[in-house]
């Protein structure tokens, strides 16, 4: 992001509106569940239409507002809430309904294939991803009231122990394997403490938390109910790896990046282990952010 250009008043307001639901759900998880129980059914389904407002503010600030995109961002969150309201009614045992997986498929593909990025100004597509995350948070936590997600960002000592423990185990495998594959490259650089902390915090908030909530809190959580802990762990890790098939393709002439897929899939096993130890997204997000920060500073 070019902060000199991007920090327009409308963009700042939009960013606050998008980050507030994620942070409120993460630091006050009981509040989201109470909200879902308090709102009448019709309002639970209709309320997510308000997520189109951040798009309107951002797009208008850059002169690229389109009514078609406004309709998409108003109706898609409503459709998610509607499907998950039906899933809650028909699957009270929360074993996983086809509607749950349909919502996850749409959210996953929309982000991975960048279907909705043309709606946003250049450099601000991340706001669109957070918007979809908010729609998922409201849908799964307030409407569906899915149990065992563990989206609580009030980190504990156990989160640190599990998260950093799995990070160390993964590093023992990933560093030699990545160097052998030519995926990792050592850089003998000692970044400033401020840069290292900043990189970790940014990665934790904007990469690790959204991806861990999606893959571990929702996908692995639901798959466990259908296929058991081990199978769910491995399948979710494989899906996580495949979600990276199109990353860093500039240097690969657009080909399938199998090295990235393999390394991410192995990482997914350890992220999943960190999550399921206490069923807490914060723990796996620590592992994820530690891996990504180490990679970006010393091994990219």
């Amino acid at each position: 992001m070019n902060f000199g250009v991007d920090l327009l008043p409308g963009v700042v307001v939009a960013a606050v509106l998008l980050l507030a639901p994620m942070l409120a759900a993460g630091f006050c998880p009981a509040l989201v569940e109470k909200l879902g129980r308090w709102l009448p059914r019709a309002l639970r389904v209709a309320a997510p239409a308000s997520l189109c407002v951040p798009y309107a503010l951002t797009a208008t600030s850059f002169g690229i507002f389109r009514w078609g995109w406004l309709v998409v961002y108003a109706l898609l969150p409503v459709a998610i809430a509607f499907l998950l309201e039906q899933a809650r009614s028909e699957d009270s045992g929360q074993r996983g309904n086809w509607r749950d997986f349909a919502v996850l498929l749409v959210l996953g593909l929309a982000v991975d294939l960048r279907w909705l990025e043309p709606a946003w100004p250049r450099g601000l597509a991340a706001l669109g991803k957070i918007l979809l995350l908010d729609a998922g948070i409201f849908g799964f936590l307030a409407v569906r009231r899915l149990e065992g997600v563990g989206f609580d960002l009030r980190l504990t000592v156990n989160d640190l122990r599990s998260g950093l423990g799995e990070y160390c185990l993964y590093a023992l495998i990933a560093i030699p394997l990545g160097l052998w594959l030519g995926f990792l490259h050592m850089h003998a650089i000692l970044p400033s403490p401020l840069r290292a902390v900043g990189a970790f915090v940014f990665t934790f908030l904007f990469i690790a938390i959204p991806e861990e909530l999606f893959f571990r809190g929702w996908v692995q959580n639901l798959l466990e109910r259908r296929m058991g802990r081990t199978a769910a762990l491995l399948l979710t890790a494989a899906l996580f790896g495949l979600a990276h098939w199109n990353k860093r393709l500039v240097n690969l002439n657009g080909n399938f990046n199998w090295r990235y897929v393999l390394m991410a899939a192995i990482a997914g096993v350890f992220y999943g282990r960190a999550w399921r130890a206490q069923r807490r997204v914060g723990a796996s997000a620590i592992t994820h952010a530690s891996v990504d920060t180490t990679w970006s500073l010393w091994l990219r």
Side-chain angles (χ1 to χ4, degrees):
M1 292 177 60
N2 184 344
F3 291 100
V5 175
D6 296 338
L7 291 185
L8 300 172
V11 177
V12 172
V13 174
V16 171
L17 291 175
L18 289 172
L19 289 173
M22 181 184 80
L23 295 176
F27 288 100
C28 304
L31 181 64
V32 177
E33 183 179 355
K34 289 180 181 178
L35 180 64
R37 295 182 184 278
W38 175 75
L39 290 175
R41 180 176 181 177
L43 195 53
R44 280 200 304 268
V45 172
S50 61
L51 286 171
C52 71
V53 173
Y55 160 73
L57 290 171
T58 303
T60 300
S61 297
F62 282 84
I64 60 170
F65 176 84
R66 298 292 182 273
W67 284 105
W69 284 118
L70 184 73
V71 171
V72 168
Y73 280 116
L75 294 185
L76 181 58
V78 170
I80 290 171
F82 175 74
L83 287 173
L84 293 178
E85 179 69 34
Q86 288 191 319
R88 185 177 68 85
S89 299
E90 298 192 16
D91 179 31
S92 58
Q94 297 197 349
R95 282 188 48 78
N97 182 268
W98 68 265
R99 296 169 181 85
D100 296 317
F101 296 106
V103 167
L104 290 173
L105 181 64
V106 170
L107 288 175
L109 290 178
V111 171
D112 199 52
L113 300 181
R114 303 169 183 170
W115 286 344
L116 306 181
E117 284 193 11
W120 298 87
R122 185 174 181 179
L124 291 177
L127 295 180
K129 296 177 182 178
I130 298 174
L131 191 156
L132 294 178
L133 180 71
D134 287 343
I137 288 173
F138 187 83
F140 279 106
L141 301 185
V143 178
R144 182 67 160 107
R145 299 170 209 163
L146 183 63
E147 297 176 354
V149 173
F151 187 47
D152 187 341
L153 300 181
R154 295 168 296 181
L155 301 179
T156 67
V157 173
N158 285 334
D159 292 333
L160 293 171
R161 183 182 297 115
S162 297
L164 295 177
E166 295 298 331
Y167 162 73
C168 293
L169 290 175
Y170 174 64
L172 291 174
I173 297 172
I175 292 177
L177 177 61
L179 292 172
W180 179 67
L181 291 174
F183 179 77
L184 301 179
H185 308 277
M186 293 291 295
H187 300 291
I189 299 174
L190 185 63
S192 68
L194 182 62
R195 182 189 174 197
V197 171
F200 179 87
V201 171
F202 179 88
T203 303
F204 183 82
L205 289 175
F206 297 106
I207 298 176
I209 288 176
E211 292 187 4
E212 290 309 303
L213 177 58
F214 180 86
F215 281 101
R216 258 52 69 172
W218 297 339
V219 176
Q220 186 172 334
N221 184 8
L222 284 165
L223 288 177
E224 278 190 355
R225 302 157 195 253
R226 288 288 182 177
M227 55 180 33
R229 282 164 54 91
T230 301
L233 172 67
L234 297 177
L235 179 55
T236 304
L239 293 173
F240 180 73
L242 288 172
H244 294 75
W245 71 273
N246 58 351
K247 305 298 188 295
R248 295 181 68 196
L249 290 179
V250 175
N251 296 327
L252 297 174
N253 299 317
N255 296 321
F256 182 86
N257 194 343
W258 66 269
R259 294 176 181 84
Y260 205 155
V261 169
L262 175 63
M263 297 296 292
I266 297 172
V269 172
F270 292 91
Y271 300 165
R273 281 167 46 91
W275 171 79
R276 77 178 187 182
Q278 301 287 331
R279 301 189 79 82
R280 287 177 60 84
V281 169
S284 59
I286 288 173
T287 311
H288 193 150
S290 299
V291 169
D292 281 10
T293 302
T294 302
W295 175 50
S296 65
L297 294 179
W298 290 290
L299 295 168
R300 187 186 291 270

